[in-house]
Amino acid sequence: MRLGLLTGGGDCPGLNAVIRAVVRKAIMHYGWEVYGIKNGWAGLVAGDADPLNLNKVSGILPKGGTILGTSRTNPFKTQGMAERILENSKELGIDATIAVGGEDTLGVAYKLFKLGMATVGIPKTIDNDLGGTDYTFGFDTAVNIATDAIDRLHTTAESHQRVMVVEVMGRHAGWIAVHAGIAGGADVILIPEKPFLVDDVCDLIKRRHERGKSFSIVVVAEGAKFKHEGDVDGSLITQDVEMDEFGHVRLGGIANILGREIERQTGFETRVSVLGYVQRGGTPTAFDRVLATRYGVKACELVEQGEFGKMVALRGNQIIAVAMDEALAIKLVDEDLYNLASIFFG
Ligand code: F6P
């Protein structure tokens, strides 16, 4: 058996832990060969893959990023690319492929499975927005980084009596914002699931200042949406109009607009911090290392059992297999969690 392994989409803490786990389990337990495919699906389009061995994955467990490289390549965007993947897999002698990624990478894995390729998925993304699993690995690390940043920003907020607006990632889901916001004691948390009125945010900050607090922390998710009176959907702030190969716009910039508006309406000095890619970088937390390791081992077991078209998932404390298309349903922050967070607003 020759197993292919690739990482696709945005990099994310824990990818190397998964790679190590897959290689260890596949080689030591099953005696398979493992080929590391370079840069996500782009590697299979180009036929670019190299054998992995135990030495190549030794020492990578705590390292951020991915030794295989990654890309946001969508082979179904260009005619003939998916067929090239099937041909190249055959040429490389790859019998089954484990794809580690978010909705886009796993969406491709599922479509290729439908075309006859033996694929298994592992869910990763700092956004934690994949249906079918309680947690994706990478999320816990991102939340810890954002929480640490909020703790540090409290220093300046308090010393200078300022409002600090912190923008976090998460795409169209507010998981990072709501978890880091609760953990960091944010005074307002704004998420895509709850389009907001700037007036309401200013009222919460004013209420807090009226009761003697001279600073506030506002956590805003990059995909949060401004609403105007009577408007339900709100509008998204994007960095440019261009979309990636999967049709995603680049989000970001909402904190700057919001910060200006808060200062204008409240008169309180306001500063903005956009956390950006630091949330995806560096060493994974112990939780993410363990989750990634469990996912990697389970994915090999699915390959061994011939359970293709499946994704590994965490439900409660169990690692289970679910149909890969379940990953494609977006998982949003539930009302209860946001209501809990809002008890601490203002
Ligand atoms: O999906 C992870 C993520 O970091 C999102 O939170 C963010 O919107 C997006 O990727 C950024 O993508 P890119 O790396 O293409 O700029």
Side-chain angles (χ1 to χ4, degrees):
M1 157 73 90
R2 185 173 287 174
L3 182 66
L5 174 63
L6 65 86
T7 55
D11 70 320
C12 163
L15 285 168
N16 284 326
V18 166
I19 294 167
R20 169 182 174 268
V22 168
V23 170
R24 287 286 293 225
K25 176 77 177 171
I27 294 177
M28 298 285 279
H29 195 107
Y30 295 124
W32 299 340
E33 284 183 311
V34 185
Y35 268 46
I37 297 157
K38 302 286 170 59
N39 304 323
W41 294 116
L44 272 187
V45 173
D48 192 4
D50 279 331
L52 285 170
N53 59 35
L54 297 183
N55 281 349
K56 284 191 180 157
V57 299
S58 169
I60 67 171
L61 171 67
K63 290 196 176 142
T66 160
I67 61 163
L68 296 177
T70 187
S71 69
R72 295 196 185 279
T73 307
N74 181 359
F76 288 93
K77 185 109 200 292
T78 309
Q79 187 121 31
M81 264 197 184
E83 290 71 21
R84 262 218 317 272
I85 286 183
L86 298 174
E87 282 159 23
N88 283 338
S89 297
K90 212 178 245 168
E91 216 151 278
L92 289 162
I94 293 174
D95 302 300
T97 297
I98 294 179
V100 190
E103 58 162 321
D104 300 329
T105 303
L106 298 188
V108 170
Y110 189 64
K111 282 188 187 160
L112 289 169
F113 163 69
K114 292 278 186 197
L115 292 178
M117 190 168 155
T119 57
V120 164
I122 298 182
K124 72 88 222 186
T125 164
I126 63 163
D127 303 337
N128 196 38
D129 59 350
L130 296 190
T133 186
D134 291 351
Y135 288 103
T136 52
F137 72 83
F139 171 65
D140 185 64
T141 306
V143 168
N144 275 282
I145 293 169
T147 303
D148 179 60
I150 295 167
D151 288 348
R152 287 168 195 277
L153 292 167
H154 265 92
T155 309
T156 302
E158 204 164 354
S159 304
H160 287 262
Q161 299 98 53
R162 287 176 179 162
V163 177
M164 300 295 281
V165 181
V166 192
E167 182 175 309
V168 298
M169 283 184 163
R171 204 161 252 164
H172 301 297
W175 291 106
I176 298 175
V178 89
H179 276 244
I182 293 172
D187 305 300
V188 182
I189 303 171
L190 303 167
I191 59 172
E193 293 83 344
K194 295 271 173 193
F196 66 93
L197 292 170
V198 177
D199 286 0
D200 292 344
V201 176
C202 292
D203 286 348
L204 283 168
I205 294 170
K206 283 192 230 153
R207 189 174 86 187
R208 190 174 141 78
H209 284 232
E210 273 158 24
R211 69 179 169 85
K213 301 303 286 186
S214 56
F215 70 93
S216 294
I217 302 280
V218 178
V219 174
V220 59
E222 60 178 0
K225 289 173 262 178
F226 286 110
K227 190 166 88 149
H228 302 284
E229 215 60 68
D231 170 13
V232 187
D233 295 337
S235 47
L236 207 56
I237 306 300
T238 58
Q239 292 196 47
D240 51 42
V241 285
E242 263 181 47
M243 290 191 229
D244 71 12
E245 292 192 8
F246 290 93
H248 301 299
V249 285
R250 256 174 74 206
L251 298 173
I254 190 166
N256 285 308
I257 300 170
L258 178 63
R260 274 199 298 275
E261 213 32 51
I262 290 173
E263 187 164 270
R264 196 183 66 78
Q265 286 197 25
T266 64
F268 301 135
E269 195 180 17
T270 303
R271 292 286 192 274
V272 169
S273 278
V274 179
L275 298 189
Y277 295 91
V278 295
Q279 293 160 97
R280 281 182 9 195
T283 188
T285 58
F287 179 89
D288 278 335
R289 294 182 204 187
V290 174
L291 184 60
T293 300
R294 294 177 78 195
Y295 277 163
V297 168
K298 179 72 175 181
C300 286
E301 287 168 6
L302 294 186
V303 170
E304 204 269 331
Q305 291 153 10
E307 295 269 339
F308 299 114
K310 297 272 173 69
M311 171 187 92
V312 298
L314 180 72
R315 292 274 172 84
N317 197 30
Q318 299 298 312
I319 305 287
I320 60 162
V322 299
M324 202 146 35
D325 53 347
E326 279 194 47
L328 312 182
I330 185 168
K331 181 182 70 197
L332 296 174
V333 171
D334 46 287
E335 195 85 19
D336 287 352
L337 185 64
Y338 191 72
N339 288 342
L340 179 139
S342 67
I343 293 172
F344 303 92
F345 291 178

